[in-house]
Amino acid sequence: MTVLDPHRTRPTGRHATPAAPARSPRTRSYVMCRPTEFTVEYAINPWMDPSRPVDRARAMRQWEGLVATYRSLGHRVEEVDPLPGQPDMVFAANGALVVGEVAYGSQFRFPERTAEAAAFATWWRDRGVDVVPASHPAEGEGDFLVLGHVVLAGTGFRTSLAAHVEAATVIDRPFVTLELVDPLFYHLDVALGVLDDGRGDAPADIAYYPGAFSAHSRRTLRELFPDALLVGRDEALTLGLNLVSDGRHVVLPHDASALAARLTHRGYEPVPVELSEFRTSGGSVKCCTMEHHA
Ligand code: ARG
């Protein structure tokens, strides 16, 4: 028999299988924005092609499927009203970084999305959260991924380095800067997925595509997460890393079937959802989901 030590998940011998710790879910609070306004009418990342039509009815069904999935897993979902003429507001993850009663607001990199920041800030202020506005480009959870002990912070395309310093002061946790180098992986949350935030009994666990990061950031990730799940380019291009996990159930795009199989092996329960319409805008599960971190 094998003795499982949750803090050592690497194989110890040639034939040893990595021991997956028990995966326990924790109930989450999510904020989402109905895709009433969703289209691809400009291109601010290489996935977007304004000449290709979006099937909005299909997008709506897919989005409602994601909401139903979260609710069936016991999570709370609240809605922010979409602003007229803001097609990307469905990507609610970008609206702010919210931890407890404090939020670091967003300042969108491109003028096409500027108006969204105030709408999200007002929504949170109305619920008693102290929203500190960003004075540098910052795109919320698109580039800030919250773990128990640190916040992983992406830069290179959208969120500025100065925002990492500012957000760290607001959120009062250590931030780890990670540099993104591939325009297809323009936000951290399309290059790296948090499988377990490490706030429960199991250690923090992530999956990422190394090719999206600079050599130095790859080294940083290896150092901090030696047991991370490494994902290849093809898997990453399904937007499979744009996942949302509650520590046990990992909601991820349907196309990411290879990644789903590897997650099962690691002790997680993959929950595939169809979000193909949003992929044409460069987004998937995580992009549509802002979490209110405890
Ligand atoms: N079309 C949107 C943009 O380029 C997609 C945002 C995706 N959001 C995310 N959290 N990665 O801004």
Side-chain angles (χ1 to χ4, degrees), residues 20-32:
R23 304 296 183 188
S24 321
R26 195 173 74 243
T27 304
R28 309 297 171 110
S29 274
Y30 299 131
V31 176
M32 297 175 64

Side-chain angles (χ1 to χ4, degrees), residues 100-257:
E101 297 315 304
V102 29
Y104 182 59
S106 289
Q107 186 191 109
F108 284 86
R109 173 70 68 175
F110 295 107
E112 288 87 343
R113 297 194 66 183
T114 304
E116 296 177 39
F120 282 107
T122 303
W123 192 91
W124 283 107
R125 286 198 183 104
D126 288 348
R127 280 149 189 88
V129 169
D130 179 19
V131 183
V132 179
S135 35
H136 309 280
E139 298 201 351
E141 289 194 302
D143 278 319
F144 294 125
L145 295 174
V146 178
L147 299 177
H149 56 313
V150 287
V151 176
L152 301 179
T155 189
F157 297 99
R158 300 291 182 91
T159 298
S160 59
L161 201 49
H164 293 187
V165 178
E166 192 173 53
T169 313
V170 173
I171 303 297
D172 200 21
R173 288 204 190 166
F175 273 51
V176 175
T177 290
L178 297 169
E179 192 188 0
L180 297 163
V181 296
D182 181 337
L184 280 166
F185 301 95
Y186 58 95
H187 272 145
L188 181 63
D189 71 355
V190 290
L192 188 153
V194 178
L195 301 170
D196 191 311
D197 62 12
R199 303 179 103 235
D201 293 333
D205 192 24
I206 63 166
Y208 66 95
Y209 164 50
F213 297 92
S214 69
H216 182 266
S217 296
R218 285 201 298 273
R219 228 161 27 238
T220 302
L221 286 168
R222 268 202 310 273
E223 207 41 61
L224 290 177
F225 304 97
D227 299 317
L229 183 64
L230 301 187
V231 164
R233 187 172 181 83
D234 288 349
E235 275 176 288
L237 286 172
T238 64
L239 289 183
L241 291 165
N242 196 241
L243 54 83
V244 169
S245 173
D246 64 12
R248 177 176 182 89
H249 310 100
V250 182
V251 183
L252 80 175
H254 196 265
D255 287 344
S257 50

Side-chain angles (χ1 to χ4, degrees), residues 29-86:
S29 274
Y30 299 131
V31 176
M32 297 175 64
C33 179
R34 194 166 282 277
T36 326
E37 301 289 318
F38 179 60
T39 58
V40 177
E41 62 189 37
Y42 49 76
I44 56 173
N45 72 54
W47 298 83
M48 301 174 85
D49 174 1
S51 68
R52 198 171 46 195
V54 163
D55 183 339
R56 203 184 269 167
R58 189 153 177 265
M60 187 63 79
R61 283 196 300 278
Q62 293 181 344
W63 182 87
E64 284 174 344
L66 180 60
V67 174
T69 299
Y70 288 142
R71 292 197 169 130
S72 73
L73 293 170
H75 304 304
R76 171 185 158 122
V77 178
E78 284 185 281
E79 287 187 38
V80 174
D81 287 336
L83 284 180
Q86 293 299 134

